[in-house]
Each structure stands twice: as structure tokens, then as C-alpha cells.
Amino acid sequence: MNKNFDKVIEIEFDDNTLLSSIFGFEDKNIHLIEKLNNVTINYRGNILKIVGNKNALEETKITLEKLYNDAKKGFEIDDEKIKDIRSSLTLEINNDNMNSSSINLKKRKILPRTKNQKIYLDLLNKKNIVFAIGPAGTGKTYLAVAKAISSLQNGKIKKIILSRPAVEAGEKIGFLPGDLKEKVDPFLRPIYDALYDMIPYDQVEKKINSGIIEIAPIAFMRGRTLNDCYIILDEAQNTTKIQMKMFLTRLGKNSKMVIAGDKTQIDLISKSDSGLVDSEKRLNKINDIGFIKLESADVVRHELVQQIIESYEE
């Protein structure tokens, strides 16, 4: 921070008791806001003093005021809440375009964290098939699963189908011990993680047992027509050209598809056989198919993940 250009503003809040939830344990939330906005925040009682450049001061002031209002309403103030508010300010998401720029679940609202994620959500709203291509941690699968759950909760679809190629097992899962679910679960764990983050564990299990949520390897899609479904293919870079064609042609009436993958993580023997790479070349001119390329700057996991990805890209 360049001290020569620093300015100072003070904010006073009415209810001192709410500030402890805003600040977080050992001021964890305050430290995060300081880091995100490149400011310094000091406080005494219910008066906060913010030091930084003019734009950062205004953004920090609005962030704190929104957090204060959320605390008044009884919302938990945590890292996710702070990052969501910052995203809405950075991406100029306001009440007028909030619905089109967010995913509304019954118990939470998911906002894009980057400009590319916002484009991704726009494509999910407008296109029947969307390809999300980019490195780990950019929200490819997470946002797709959130959109699928939202569509299910709103009655727009009747079923969610989540799939990925079981390359590590060479699709020969018959040789593995256990029933089908036990055989394929290790390959589908990232999808389960996303589900459990948005729906309580018992509800996920209930929907899986009733068939409302189906999780299966791509090999089990052959010969089906998928109507009234939200279909997500994860780790799509590890599909072959034949598998990708088979998967895409399963699309039925009132259904949506999301194909998520990372072209730098192809595990096939011949990388040129990747169905994701091939489909990007073949299908990018079809109007109702959307493509979004996410980058290391879109990583929303731990900041170290972004640094690691950038190091390997170099």
C-alpha cells in the first residue's frame, strides 16, 4: 500500500454486540477484508477507522455495512459471505440483475466470484449445452451442480444425472469388488463433495436411493435418451471421441448438459483422442452450445492453488 495516497474514513455502528460476529474469531473476518481490499482496519468500540486508497475505502465501507445488515438478520458472517459481497461489488451485481447472476438454492445463494464465472452462469441460463474448460478450483463442477440442484428445487427438471469417465479403472469396473455404487464411488467423489456442500447428507442419500439424483460412469449412459434432466459430465478431458459423441447425443427434451474438463489433465494414453479437445474444435460454431474457458485467475480455492497452477503454466 502506498502511504502517500492513503486516505482515512471512520464508520460508526449502532449495535456494538453485532460487531463481534462481523469481526470473527480473533478478527479473522477483518483480516480477510483487509487482505482482499488492500486496506488497514482499526477499531475502538463501535467505531472503525479504515485506511487505504479512495476506491478501496468505499468498497470496504459498503462491504462492512452489508455485513452489519446481514448480521442484524441473523446470517452467519464467514469467509464465503465476505467473498460473495466482494464479488457482487466487483462484478457490479445489484438487485436488478441478482437473479440472473446468481444461483438460488433453498438455503443459500451462490454468486460468481470472477468475471469468467459470471459469463459461465449466463451461459448456463441461456444454452442447452455448456462446455466449461479450465484448471482445478475454478468452479466448473461446483457451479454446474449448484445450477442442477436449483433447477430441481424449482421444478424445472425431474432428475439430475452426474457422470464422469472411470479412466483409472479402464472402464473395466466389473473386476472391482462391491456393488456398482461401491465400485464407482471413488471416481465420483468430487461430485459427491459438491452435493454435500449444498444439500444435507441424508437428503442427498435419499435422492440417490430414489433415483432423483443418479451418479454413474459415462459407460452407463449408452442407449439412453435423457428427458427432463440436468446432466453433468465431469473430468470430460478423459472421455474418448466416441464416448463424447455418445454422451452428447443422449440429450432429450427439456434437458440441459454441462461438460466440465481440464485439457491439461488428460489421462488417456493418446491425448489427441480426448473427446473434450475434439468437441471444442467441432462444436464451437453451433449457436445453442456455449463454451467458457476458465483460467488460473478464476481459481476460488485456497490462494495457493492459483499460485501452483500459474507456476506449472510457466
Side-chain angles (χ1 to χ4, degrees):
M1 191 184 299
N2 189 334
K3 300 297 182 182
N4 294 327
F5 296 96
D6 284 351
K7 296 183 181 299
V8 181
I9 60 170
E10 287 189 355
I11 311 174
E12 184 174 352
F13 292 99
D14 298 331
D15 190 345
N16 199 28
T17 60
L18 290 176
L19 293 182
S20 60
S21 63
I22 294 176
F23 294 166
F25 179 68
E26 294 184 343
D27 293 345
K28 177 184 176 183
N29 293 340
I30 289 293
H31 295 325
L32 176 59
I33 295 170
E34 287 180 319
K35 184 176 182 180
L36 291 173
N37 290 0
N38 194 25
V39 297
T40 300
I41 302 174
N42 299 304
Y43 63 89
R44 178 173 293 180
N46 62 336
I47 299 176
L48 280 70
K49 180 184 289 186
I50 310 168
V51 182
N53 68 54
K54 183 178 179 181
N55 291 337
L57 291 182
E58 184 62 24
E59 188 169 308
T60 304
K61 179 176 181 291
I62 294 172
T63 298
L64 290 167
E65 288 171 347
K66 285 180 176 287
L67 290 174
Y68 182 77
N69 288 330
D70 283 345
K72 265 187 176 179
K73 297 173 185 175
F75 291 114
E76 180 183 356
I77 307 302
D78 56 12
D79 291 11
E80 298 302 309
K81 173 68 72 175
I82 292 167
K83 289 175 181 177
D84 278 346
I85 288 175
R86 184 171 188 270
S87 298
S88 68
L89 295 174
T90 303
L91 301 176
E92 298 180 344
I93 299 172
N94 52 42
N95 291 333
D96 294 333
N97 62 10
M98 179 67 78
N99 288 333
S100 62
S101 299
S102 65
I103 299 173
N104 300 307
L105 304 178
K106 284 186 176 178
K107 292 191 175 181
R108 61 182 296 197
K109 186 187 296 287
I110 295 176
L111 289 168
R113 295 281 171 78
T114 68
K115 289 182 179 179
N116 278 338
Q117 283 195 353
K118 186 173 184 296
I119 294 170
Y120 183 21
L121 288 190
D122 289 341
L123 288 174
L124 292 178
N125 289 330
K126 296 174 183 176
K127 304 292 185 180
N128 285 332
I129 298 178
V130 176
F131 283 79
I133 302 170
T138 51
K140 301 186 303 295
T141 304
Y142 188 85
L143 291 176
V145 171
K147 190 65 178 176
I149 292 172
S150 174
S151 298
L152 182 66
Q153 292 177 345
N154 293 331
K156 293 180 180 179
I157 48 112
K158 296 178 181 178
K159 185 171 184 174
I160 297 172
I161 298 178
L162 307 164
S163 183
R164 66 186 269 173
V167 169
E168 296 89 340
E171 294 287 0
K172 297 178 182 179
I173 58 175
F175 294 101
L176 297 174
D179 61 20
L180 174 62
K181 185 175 185 298
E182 292 171 330
K183 290 175 180 180
V184 302
D185 271 3
F187 307 108
L188 302 166
R189 180 50 49 189
I191 293 176
Y192 279 106
D193 291 342
L195 285 170
Y196 294 143
D197 196 43
M198 299 171 209
I199 308 177
Y201 179 87
D202 58 333
Q203 289 188 29
V204 173
E205 295 301 303
K206 184 178 179 180
K207 284 178 168 58
I208 290 174
N209 291 332
S210 66
I212 294 174
I213 296 177
E214 179 182 344
I215 304 178
I218 191 171
F220 287 78
M221 299 296 107
R222 190 175 300 279
R224 302 173 64 182
T225 300
L226 306 173
N227 297 320
D228 300 306
C229 295
Y230 210 106
I231 311 140
I232 299 171
L233 175 61
D234 195 26
E235 300 293 339
Q237 74 275 1
N238 288 327
T239 62
T240 63
K241 296 175 186 178
I242 294 172
Q243 286 176 326
M244 181 63 80
K245 179 184 176 183
M246 178 273 291
F247 184 83
L248 292 172
T249 52
R250 300 309 93 200
L251 185 70
K253 293 180 180 178
N254 192 41
S255 289
K256 296 248 186 180
M257 269 187 180
V258 181
I259 295 88
D262 178 359
K263 292 189 294 183
T264 69
Q265 298 293 324
I266 298 172
D267 297 319
L268 299 171
I269 296 174
S270 173
K271 295 186 186 301
S272 63
D273 195 35
S274 170
L276 180 65
V277 174
D278 180 64
S279 59
E280 185 182 15
K281 296 174 182 176
R282 289 180 185 271
L283 308 176
N284 59 17
K285 293 182 180 179
I286 298 178
N287 185 54
D288 205 31
I289 297 180
F291 284 85
I292 177 64
K293 293 183 180 179
L294 298 155
E295 302 169 348
S296 59
D298 300 303
V299 171
V300 292
R301 291 182 187 169
H302 195 287
E303 61 184 25
L304 273 179
V305 175
Q306 181 177 341
Q307 294 175 31
I308 291 168
I309 290 170
E310 288 174 347
S311 295
Y312 274 96
E313 285 178 345
E314 290 174 1

